[in-house]
Amino acid sequence: MTVSFRDLPLSDLPKTLGTVAVFASPSALTEAAQAADEASGGAITRAQNAERFVGKEGEILDIPAPAGMKASRLLVVGTGDDETTPNRARTIGGKLGASLGKLDETGATIFADGVGSDTVLASIALGIRLRRYTFTKYRTETDASLDRGPGKVVIGVTNSAGAEKADIDANAVAEGTFFTRDLVSEPANILYPESFTQRLQDLSELGVEVSVLDEDDMTKLGMNALLAVGLGSRRESRVVIMKWLGADDKNAAPFCAVGKGVTFDTGGISIKPAGGMEEMTMDMGGAGVVSGLMKTLAMRKAKANVIGVVGLTENMPDGNATRPGDIVTAMSGTTIEIINTDAEGRLVLADVLYYTQKEFKPKATINLATLTGAMIVALGYDKAGFFSNDDGLSSQLQAAADAEEEGLWRLPLGKAYDDQIKSKLADIKNTGGRHAGSITAAQFLKRFVNDSPWAHIDIAGVALSKEAKPTVPKGASGWGVATLDRFVRDNFEEKSSA
Ligand code: BES
Ligand code: MN
Ligand code: ZN
């Protein structure tokens, strides 16, 4: 489905075919809604008087075959009486997107004159796109309940130039989010470290410098913690580095985003129960968000230096697999006793975090990972949890998530938790016992981070959406692309002087 802006005078409204949508609040009709009301002999005001439709935020009135208009149906979309902010507009767009998805129409035209600023208009487009996302490449039989909705959505305003410009950034967020959702949705026989790497190579078309570490490179660097996770897999592990150097000074210290990319997590020798194991195709979700972020930044040509680094591997049981009790020396020199081979994400991140800080000397680092089931026990599916060694970075990150309305909540770190991962035989062990499982995992990561600002976001509960929300269909959510894009924009970007 495509959403695009076009110059459309309101005089076109009565003659427009297909679905026509306009906006109204409880107290006022937009200019376009007034035009539709007039053309249809007062259909909207009559419905409002009968209180079939009030105009509350996201409420939708569906008038089939409106008299006096060529349209097959007229949708009146409520905006509510509060100011239509970009976030509200995105939610309203999402709800409109959901309604459009239930219709058998080839085209929809949204007359948006009078709804709000160019940014508000672009946010409506973003909401529609985010909600209408589907992952259907493996369905060969059409499903009437899923394959509906117009292929082409046009948002018409009298003068569309400004909205079109604002839509460049909004569309970049949508495309980055879709890249993440596509990667997370792929099954593990298709998306494994090497094929994941190939998809990331495509980002070079957008100006991202992509480089790859193969297993020989990792062996030379001493990345034995990451390599230990992949020992049981027939697939080779990879580390992929994606550089977007958009700042005027290409040598300015970057912001680094690091992702856990376990393309499938069986648990290894500490194998997981069979029920629901297929969900572990999403265990590369952190790497997926980092990849989506890089795509968004490159598409909107962000004036910031950002480096994404993802550790890609597969956790399988095998004669060659890592055993519980094995001890490995990470790239940092820290020795790790592997108690449970299912606590593999922290082993991957240990080496990738250490490598990133050593190689790129970042101003700040944020890693994302589907790291612990305990995160879901603590916060459920509504919020991701995060941990940080820096209060300033924490408030910047929290502010970005709040602004984008993505759930995020800070949890503590501390010495008592660090004591839980002391090992009898090595420096540390990779599990900290039953209690505070997400925190001890974070303490483990902190061992591989220097004193520069760092945050770890555990996205185990939010990478997949259990149910549809206004701007997130059921399935891979893309949680975090919008938040991190906002975080970069607000804290690392040079404001253009234009
Ligand atoms: N990938 C899982 C965590 C996970 C669970 C993500 C559910 C998404 C949904 C991770 O590798 C894992 O298996 N963690 C273990 C750690 C334990 C062995 C200390 C867990 O959470 O059970
Ligand atoms: Mn695991
Ligand atoms: Zn895992």
Side-chain angles (χ1 to χ4, degrees):
M1 185 215 51
T2 61
V3 183
S4 56
F5 284 90
R6 192 186 299 162
D7 283 346
L8 278 182
L10 282 180
S11 54
D12 275 13
L13 190 142
K15 18 179 194 178
T16 300
L17 301 171
T19 296
V20 166
V22 295
F23 298 87
S25 74
S27 57
L29 303 182
T30 58
E31 295 157 53
Q34 280 171 31
D37 197 43
E38 273 161 38
S40 63
I44 301 175
T45 35
R46 274 204 306 282
Q48 272 186 318
N49 289 337
E51 289 198 57
R52 287 278 306 280
F53 170 80
V54 182
K56 287 182 290 193
E57 183 179 311
E59 190 189 359
I60 290 172
L61 171 69
D62 184 345
I63 305 173
M69 292 174 61
K70 285 268 187 319
S72 53
R73 64 200 327 138
L74 171 63
L75 297 182
V76 190
V77 184
T79 58
D81 263 332
D82 294 331
E83 190 201 338
T84 306
T85 58
N87 276 351
R88 281 226 175 78
R90 194 175 51 186
T91 303
I92 293 164
K95 289 182 178 170
L96 172 56
S99 290
L100 291 175
K102 291 178 196 133
L103 304 176
D104 291 308
E105 300 282 359
T106 50
T109 309
I110 300 166
F111 285 84
D113 274 317
V115 181
S117 66
D118 293 333
T119 316
V120 163
L121 294 174
S123 298
I124 292 175
L126 175 59
I128 297 172
R129 290 188 187 107
L130 287 174
R131 181 58 183 274
R132 295 285 298 124
Y133 169 86
T134 52
F135 185 80
T136 55
K137 64 190 278 200
Y138 300 111
R139 283 197 292 115
T140 65
E141 294 172 2
T142 52
D143 176 340
S145 68
L146 289 167
D147 293 324
R148 287 188 172 170
K152 210 173 138 202
V153 177
V154 170
I155 303 183
V157 277
T158 308
N159 183 353
S160 67
E164 240 162 25
K165 190 155 177 284
D167 193 41
I168 295 174
D169 287 0
N171 189 48
V173 173
E175 289 297 322
T177 303
F178 296 165
F179 191 38
T180 305
R181 289 178 182 173
D182 285 347
L183 290 166
V184 170
S185 302
E186 285 288 2
N189 59 327
I190 304 294
L191 195 78
Y192 46 89
E194 267 181 278
S195 58
F196 199 143
T197 300
Q198 273 164 16
R199 293 205 191 189
L200 299 184
Q201 304 272 19
D202 295 345
L203 292 175
S204 55
E205 286 163 24
L206 295 171
V208 179
E209 296 168 32
V210 183
S211 55
V212 183
L213 305 179
D214 64 16
E215 289 197 346
D216 285 343
D217 299 322
M218 287 186 249
T219 304
K220 280 183 203 128
L221 287 163
M223 293 185 164
N224 300 310
L226 191 164
L227 287 167
V229 177
L231 281 181
S233 173
R234 302 290 288 265
R235 311 286 194 187
E236 276 199 26
S237 302
R238 293 284 183 270
V239 170
V240 181
I241 298 129
M242 296 164 269
K243 289 189 187 173
W244 171 256
L245 304 178
D248 288 334
D249 177 5
K250 309 275 174 253
N251 295 315
F255 162 63
C256 286
V258 170
K260 166 181 173 181
V262 175
T263 55
F264 197 75
D265 180 14
T266 64
I269 297 299
S270 315
I271 198 161
K272 286 181 183 296
M277 202 203 277
E278 72 283 354
E279 250 192 22
M280 285 301 122
T281 56
M282 56 77 108
D283 211 20
M284 34 53 68
V289 175
V290 170
S291 309
L293 171 69
M294 298 313 294
K295 179 157 188 174
T296 295
L297 294 175
M299 278 188 73
R300 67 172 186 79
K301 302 193 167 58
K303 291 182 79 62
N305 293 342
V306 179
I307 302 181
V309 189
V310 294
L312 308 177
T313 188
E314 186 183 47
N315 190 19
M316 299 288 274
D318 179 76
N320 195 44
T322 293
R323 292 154 289 255
D326 284 2
I327 294 177
V328 296
T329 304
M331 183 182 171
S332 68
T334 301
T335 56
I336 304 165
E337 182 185 10
I338 299 174
I339 301 292
N340 188 320
T341 64
D342 197 13
E344 85 296 340
R346 63 198 77 182
L347 298 172
V348 173
L349 289 172
D351 281 337
V352 180
L353 279 169
Y354 183 81
Y355 170 83
T356 299
Q357 300 211 327
K358 190 170 176 221
E359 188 76 13
F360 305 119
K361 315 251 176 320
K363 250 187 248 170
T365 306
I366 296 179
N367 76 257
L368 298 104
T370 49
L371 204 63
T372 64
M375 197 70 258
I376 307 173
V377 176
L379 295 180
Y381 298 107
D382 191 52
K383 284 180 167 54
F386 83 100
F387 306 81
S388 179
N389 62 359
D390 189 276
D391 291 343
L393 175 64
S394 293
S395 28
Q396 290 172 335
L397 179 57
Q398 186 70 58
D402 291 349
E404 293 298 322
E405 296 176 348
E406 292 191 305
L408 183 66
W409 195 263
R410 188 177 181 184
L411 286 92
L413 292 164
K415 181 175 181 306
Y417 301 112
D418 192 65
D419 288 344
Q420 279 180 245
I421 57 169
K422 281 184 179 159
S423 157
K424 283 202 191 75
L425 300 172
D427 297 335
I428 49 174
K429 54 185 179 180
N430 77 331
T431 57
R434 235 169 61 78
H435 299 138
S438 302
I439 307 179
T440 52
Q443 289 294 159
F444 185 98
L445 301 184
K446 188 171 180 291
R447 291 277 189 145
F448 300 90
V449 164
N450 59 28
D451 287 331
S452 80
W454 157 79
H456 149 56
I457 311 180
D458 193 333
I459 58 170
V462 297
L464 297 181
S465 187
K466 298 277 157 190
E467 56 194 42
K469 298 184 197 130
T471 57
V472 187
K474 194 175 163 190
S477 67
W479 185 102
V481 173
T483 290
L484 289 179
D485 179 59
R486 163 74 50 195
F487 170 82
V488 169
R489 185 190 293 274
D490 288 351
N491 302 293
F492 285 87
E493 217 152 327
E494 296 158 11
K495 307 286 174 257
S496 60
S497 45

